[in-house]
Amino acid sequence: MNGRPEQFSAQPNELLVERLRDGLGLTGTKVGCDTGQCGTCVVQLDGRSVKSCLLLTASAAGSRVTTIEGVTERGGELTGLQEALRQEHGTQCGFCTPGMVMALGELVENTADREAPTEPEIREWLTGNLCRCTGYHSVVRGVQRACSAARAELPEEIGEGAAVSASAGSAASASASASGKEV
Amino acid sequence: MTAVTGDVPLQGSGLLGQPLDSREDPQLLRGEATYVADIDLPGTAHMAILGSPVAHAKILSIETKAAEQLPGVLKVATAAEFTGVMPLPCIWIPGGVESHFPPHPYGLPGARPVLTGDTVRHVGDPIAVVVAETPRQAAAALAAIAVEYEPLPVVTRADEALAEGAPQLHEAVPGNLNAYWTCGDKDRTDAAIAEAEVTVELDLVNQRTINSPIEPRGAVGDYNAATDEYTLYASTQGPHNHRFLLSALVLGIPFNKLRVIAPTVGGSFGTKGYLYPDMALVLLLSKALGRPVKWVDTRTGLMNSTVQGRDHRQHVVLAGTRDGRITGLRATSYANLGAYPSTIGPGVATALMGRSISGMYDIQASFCEVYAAFTNTVSLGAQRGSGRAEAAFLMERLVDRYASEIGMDPAAVRRKNLVPKEKFPYDNGLGWTYDSGDYQLNFDKAMELSGYADMPARKAEARSRGKRLGVGIATYVAICGVGPSTRMSKEGMLGGTWESANIRVHPTGEVTVTVGSASTGQSHHTVFAQVAADELEIDPALVQVYEGDTLKAPYGQGTYGSRSYSMAAPAIALTARKVKAKLVKAGAVFLGVPEEKVVYAGGKVYEDGNEENAKTFSEMAMAMWYGWGLPHEIEPAIDETTHFDPPDFNYPFGTHVAVVEVDELTGETEVVAYTAVDDAGNIGNPKIVLGQIEGSITHGLGQALMEAAVYDEQGLLVSSDLTTYALPRAADVPFFTLDKTTTPSPHNPLGAKGAGEIATVPPAAAVVNAVVDALSDLGVQHIDMPLTPEKVWRRLRGEAE
């Protein structure tokens, strides 16, 4: 659990999100619906983002679980993705934010050495997470910014891809400014 | 109270208008913010609420013994337990007309009891509560409560509730009619319609929608027996208002014995400003059990109990000339208030909608009548853009229908009827007086930015791909800045609607700002610090903002109707001016020059013409704290408060253009481009406002395309979770093209107008206009929302609605 071993016994019907919030006090993971639709409870299980309200605690035994508390130190420096979301103000009420950071973290991680995801790909990836405040626009811009920043840091041998991504990044910021930076 | 007019110029350091990063964001991104569900007081017990499974029935008996014996159960309570508790009051009744309500002992329009004892009136009507050691135990015990019902007939539509022989909901409300409310000039409008060259009519259903903040509501009650004080933590957008309503009008305890704290609130869009039974129940049960009591709603619970929005059935008529001049407008609306009057629902359904119907147009004769009725559905309340969105929808659908009837371009009809710039302040004849605006400039900008002139070519291109391209325009005026207390009293609002702010300057030069407002995600800590720092011309890092706690902040109404930046922010700016005035007065003493020779600028006081003779803000703060050498008439320390009650509302406005592509084969509608030019006056932080505009438009698109609260004939809410109630997801929306115009409001010292929800007002009309445009060659004149693929597919095949 966030890099530390945790040992406990769980009821057979206990959901992972209950263990996280009520059992371990990791309240960064949120509960927004009863049906696995909203994505506020997303955590990472062995590096893959999953909805912790659809998973029994017992089925996570032996796996690496990362919650939002495992992404940054309390009060500590933000990751590249979080920083990009901050710069684009990809939050408002913030209730969906931890789930989004966990889901998008997987996308940004896994595409860092490949072509940056396109805008439709980012939107498709985000369909598991509901947000009622932002309409997703600032979140999508944040991911575009994070992906181009992540690729800019890559070593020389994949520099060509990085150049593509940089231009995708500037296209992203052009689209962002067309979409109303001035408002 | 401070009355302000527009002759006070905008002052400050130029910090306002800058896109400062939100200081709330880092803790939100790290998952560290505390929402109600995250509060864990020592010894907390957990409450669950049993809601009625049927829409209308007499309760014959409730058996709770089995539930009481289950593991962990501490208490099971029914209505009999709370006979001394008053019903939750309604405080916004339609002004100036006779209204009928279930009674409240204070002579106020009453609403629902905290628990229902005799008759249930909607699915989810709360009947009993369980308190247990864990949330699971509490929820499990609900299933062991046996309730015997005698079913009563059900009605879920406002128009049907008013028909002869309809099921009756409340003894005190004959015929289910809460109020028949009108505005405008009926005779003049009837005459305009009778004499018109052209009239067009539409029957519209503005469907019921569910706001669906992603955080469900929650409440924690904590009674302290030693001091006889109550603390309520709740997901509320108006902690002070909830304190007043709960203490005096529900619990019957002294106002100053209740403290209400809003922690971080996970979205609201209007719904969390209402008084709900759970807020009273956690306090009463905490006292009864001697432990903190916590309740957190589920999504299905939210959908069956938190106020819902819109829900008007309308017949609307527009009169005009053959060459496109609108001469009359008449609307008849059946508004569905649900089973009980919510805290302000009846006002939303009448004044907020009716007085807004003419929008940006200069119409000499208009009239609106609303029949507000009770039905067996969840109570009606506000919803992002409430009232104004329903008004804009009917007007903008009518304008397109009229343009099509006279064969004129819809843009040209609109341009011809906009209120001209020289007519402000403009009396719209329906009860609102628009403060300021340049509608032509705004409209033209939107037409240009959207490429409106190129649409014929784009339509032809789309056709070659099997898509029908449609374009829809919608304009709007949104009343904001609620509000001037006297004006609101005439609308039937029972309570002051002013806002307050306090500024305390500490000896070290740091500044604390406290406000009555309460954020539900609008970065108040960032923006309000920006306002104070701008006015005082100091570093915003020195300013800390507190809100959402009735013990810390002065009184204030809270956040709703896009009022924080045009109500609380002006209160802060005016308070900062009091601080500066005091520093100038005291500066004269410390600088040793007459007061009229003292200047406050750049965060310091100095002698005019001799900037060497100066004291910085922090030096003054320390000197004022010591208070040494001050003459008797100047009090030491710096602690100023303002109660801001504006002379009138403010009226943001704008023009939106939606471009859609309808798939001929599937009926699916895709929004391919969306342009919005909004005018919210002077904007404090454009980065924050941009996010609100984008979210608002997306919310409006949701109503147009997919959202609907669906009740079946038994009154069961069929769309009661997020698998059956569709919300827009990231792939449903493109990036928008946004711009603004700026017409400052003369009604507050910042020239601000409401912004947060205004862009929710026109999108539904813009999208429906666009889809009707795409289908116009098939003879389609209107389609009711939501425009699901099936509905559009049927119309593509010539089926009638």
Side-chain angles (χ1 to χ4, degrees), chain B residues 135-210:
Chain B
R136 274 213 177 198
Q137 288 168 337
L142 294 182
I145 301 172
V147 186
E148 206 183 341
Y149 300 97
E150 180 188 311
L152 294 168
V154 169
V155 63
T156 60
R157 273 174 52 164
D159 52 343
E160 291 174 358
L162 297 172
E164 194 134 333
Q168 296 295 294
L169 268 78
H170 300 281
E171 224 170 89
V173 187
N176 301 319
L177 181 68
N178 161 250
Y180 170 70
W181 178 95
T182 66
C183 67
D185 189 330
K186 183 172 192 306
D187 293 342
R188 202 166 159 183
T189 305
D190 286 345
I193 289 168
E195 293 158 11
E197 290 176 19
V198 185
T199 59
V200 289
E201 306 186 21
L202 283 171
D203 286 302
L204 304 173
V205 180
N206 207 297
Q207 86 273 28
R208 183 174 275 234
T209 55
I210 304 179

Side-chain angles (χ1 to χ4, degrees), chain A residues 13 18 21 30 32 34 74-76 82 86-87 89 91-94 123 127 132-133 136 141 179 183, chain B residues 21 25 29-30 32 35 37-38 136 211 299-300 384 686-687 691 694-695 698-699 707 728-730 733 736:
Chain A
N13 62 352
E18 291 177 280
R21 287 184 54 85
K30 305 298 179 193
D34 325 320
R74 193 165 177 84
Q82 287 170 321
R86 187 185 71 84
Q87 288 181 22
H89 188 44
T91 76
Q92 277 180 40
C93 80
R123 290 186 183 277
T127 53
R132 197 57 156 166
C133 297
Y136 313 99
R141 287 195 294 270
S179 76
V183 170
Chain B
D21 284 339
D25 276 358
L29 287 158
R30 288 191 297 252
E32 290 170 0
Y35 300 81
D38 307 332
R136 274 213 177 198
N211 249 340
R299 177 60 49 179
T300 299
R384 208 176 197 172
K687 182 179 270 199
E694 290 177 327
T698 306
H699 201 134
E707 296 186 34
R729 291 178 183 270
V733 283
F736 304 145

Side-chain angles (χ1 to χ4, degrees), chain A residues 16-90:
Chain A
L16 181 58
V17 68
E18 291 177 280
R19 170 60 53 177
L20 296 174
R21 287 184 54 85
D22 304 336
L24 300 169
L26 298 168
T27 54
T29 304
K30 305 298 179 193
V31 179
C33 74
D34 325 320
T35 49
Q37 294 290 310
C38 76
T40 59
C41 68
V42 171
V43 299
Q44 288 185 2
L45 191 74
D46 294 326
R48 300 291 304 274
S49 49
V50 295
K51 288 178 173 167
S52 62
C53 76
L54 296 178
L55 210 63
L56 294 171
T57 302
S59 69
S63 296
R64 282 180 296 114
V65 177
T66 308
T67 69
I68 189 73
E69 289 88 349
V71 172
T72 42
E73 294 284 309
R74 193 165 177 84
E77 201 180 326
L78 302 178
T79 64
L81 170 64
Q82 287 170 321
E83 179 58 30
L85 288 168
R86 187 185 71 84
Q87 288 181 22
E88 295 292 345
H89 188 44

Side-chain angles (χ1 to χ4, degrees), chain B residues 366-639:
Chain B
S366 24
F367 175 72
C368 180
E369 57 184 349
V370 181
Y371 296 86
F374 293 112
T375 71
N376 297 113
T377 60
V378 172
S379 293
L380 188 83
Q383 164 146 195
R384 208 176 197 172
S386 56
R388 304 80 140 194
E390 295 92 297
F393 186 78
L394 80 86
M395 186 64 212
E396 294 300 314
R397 284 297 301 120
L398 268 177
V399 173
D400 264 29
R401 180 72 202 83
Y402 172 50
S404 143
E405 186 71 23
I406 59 173
M408 206 166 146
D409 186 300
V413 174
R414 286 183 170 85
R415 185 101 188 32
K416 186 164 190 163
N417 289 283
L418 296 173
V419 175
K421 197 176 160 186
E422 342 38 280
K423 278 202 172 184
F424 288 92
Y426 175 80
D427 178 349
N428 80 347
L430 292 158
W432 301 141
T433 302
Y434 302 162
D435 53 349
S436 61
D438 187 339
Y439 295 173
Q440 289 80 2
L441 178 74
N442 179 276
F443 186 80
D444 291 346
K445 200 166 185 177
M447 290 305 109
E448 196 188 324
L449 200 59
S450 66
Y452 187 75
D454 305 331
M455 291 302 164
R458 292 179 64 178
K459 283 183 181 189
E461 186 278 327
R463 236 11 218 277
S464 69
R465 293 182 281 112
K467 306 269 182 163
R468 290 168 162 269
L469 186 138
V471 54
I473 307 169
T475 68
Y476 71 97
V477 178
I479 178 211
C480 287
V482 176
S485 298
T486 307
R487 183 69 182 76
M488 282 306 287
S489 75
K490 290 179 182 142
E491 297 294 353
M493 175 66 91
L494 306 167
T497 45
W498 42 270
E499 202 57 58
S500 72
N502 171 270
I503 292 181
R504 196 168 291 170
V505 182
H506 305 294
T508 43
E510 287 101 355
V511 172
T512 293
V513 174
T514 49
V515 288
S517 190
S519 167
T520 59
Q522 298 91 353
S523 292
H524 283 182
H525 291 252
T526 307
V527 180
F528 291 164
Q530 204 170 343
V531 172
D534 176 83
E535 194 69 44
L536 295 171
E537 301 184 52
I538 58 174
D539 183 350
L542 292 170
V543 183
Q544 187 65 31
V545 175
Y546 288 96
E547 63 168 15
D549 182 343
T550 57
L551 196 67
K552 290 182 179 159
Y555 195 85
Q557 275 272 308
T559 298
Y560 61 88
S562 300
R563 73 195 289 283
S564 284
Y565 191 68
S566 60
M567 291 292 294
I572 296 166
L574 291 169
T575 311
R577 288 179 193 178
K578 289 181 185 171
V579 169
K580 288 195 293 191
K582 183 163 184 178
L583 290 180
V584 165
K585 201 177 268 292
V589 178
F590 294 127
L591 300 175
V593 295
E595 194 182 321
E596 54 279 10
K597 291 267 298 177
V598 178
V599 176
Y600 185 106
K604 58 183 182 179
V605 288
Y606 57 86
E607 182 185 348
D608 197 6
N610 177 17
E611 287 200 37
E612 296 294 296
N613 186 18
K615 274 189 179 290
T616 64
F617 185 77
S618 56
E619 285 168 347
M620 284 298 291
M622 188 64 88
M624 293 300 285
W625 181 67
Y626 279 110
W628 296 349
L630 284 175
H632 192 67
E633 64 274 13
I634 301 179
E635 288 179 27
I638 309 167
D639 188 333

